[in-house]
Amino acid sequence: MINKSGLLFIEPSAKTSGSPVIDRVTKKMTAAFRLATRGPGYRGFHVCSCGATSSNCNYFLPGGETTNSLCVHYLAYHRDEVPPEQVERVMRLGAGEANPTAKELQRPEPARPKRFR
């Protein structure tokens, strides 16, 4: 499912990249997210299918787009599931480029046997 009114509000499958995709798109999202302002909090948070956890609020990017704290993670680890029009919107962000930190990437949790879940 994709919420098209916001940027990168997606629900990817458990399939993730073995290593993060750090390219111009990811770097543009990282730079914009660092300038974002935090919106009001909600009662919960979102857990990505791979185990990465969001904060409990949305964020407002400098150009007015709304996104979430997993925006960099989705581009880095779930790029195959990000629709092209969402990638195009990221490329139009005017905040420059920055290399993401480990915290911004939120590396997926390694798969664990079901008995430990």
Side-chain angles (χ1 to χ4, degrees):
M1 182 185 101
I2 297 167
N3 175 342
K4 293 184 181 183
S5 64
L7 184 58
L8 297 170
F9 285 97
I10 65 173
E11 292 182 19
S13 69
K15 182 180 120 188
T16 60
S17 298
S19 58
V21 176
I22 310 297
D23 60 0
R24 192 161 180 236
V25 178
T26 305
K27 290 177 180 182
K28 286 181 83 56
M29 187 73 249
T30 300
F33 185 66
R34 288 181 184 169
L35 298 174
T37 56
R38 189 179 173 107
Y42 300 105
R43 292 185 179 190
F45 54 91
H46 174 76
V47 179
C48 182
S49 58
C50 69
T53 306
S54 75
S55 68
N56 70 339
C57 64
N58 291 334
Y59 294 82
F60 302 102
L61 300 173
E65 296 268 17
T66 303
T67 194
N68 63 77
S69 64
L70 291 175
C71 58
V72 174
H73 168 82
Y74 291 147
L75 288 169
Y77 286 104
H78 302 282
R79 178 68 63 84
D80 290 347
E81 297 184 64
V82 176
E85 61 271 8
Q86 294 271 306
V87 172
E88 289 173 19
R89 287 170 63 185
V90 171
M91 290 304 293
R92 289 194 297 266
L93 297 174
E97 296 180 18
N99 288 317
T101 64
K103 183 178 179 182
E104 290 164 333
L105 288 172
Q106 294 197 41
R107 182 182 170 125
E109 300 264 335
R112 297 184 344 206
K114 290 187 180 197
R115 67 177 190 204
F116 293 112
R117 289 186 184 177

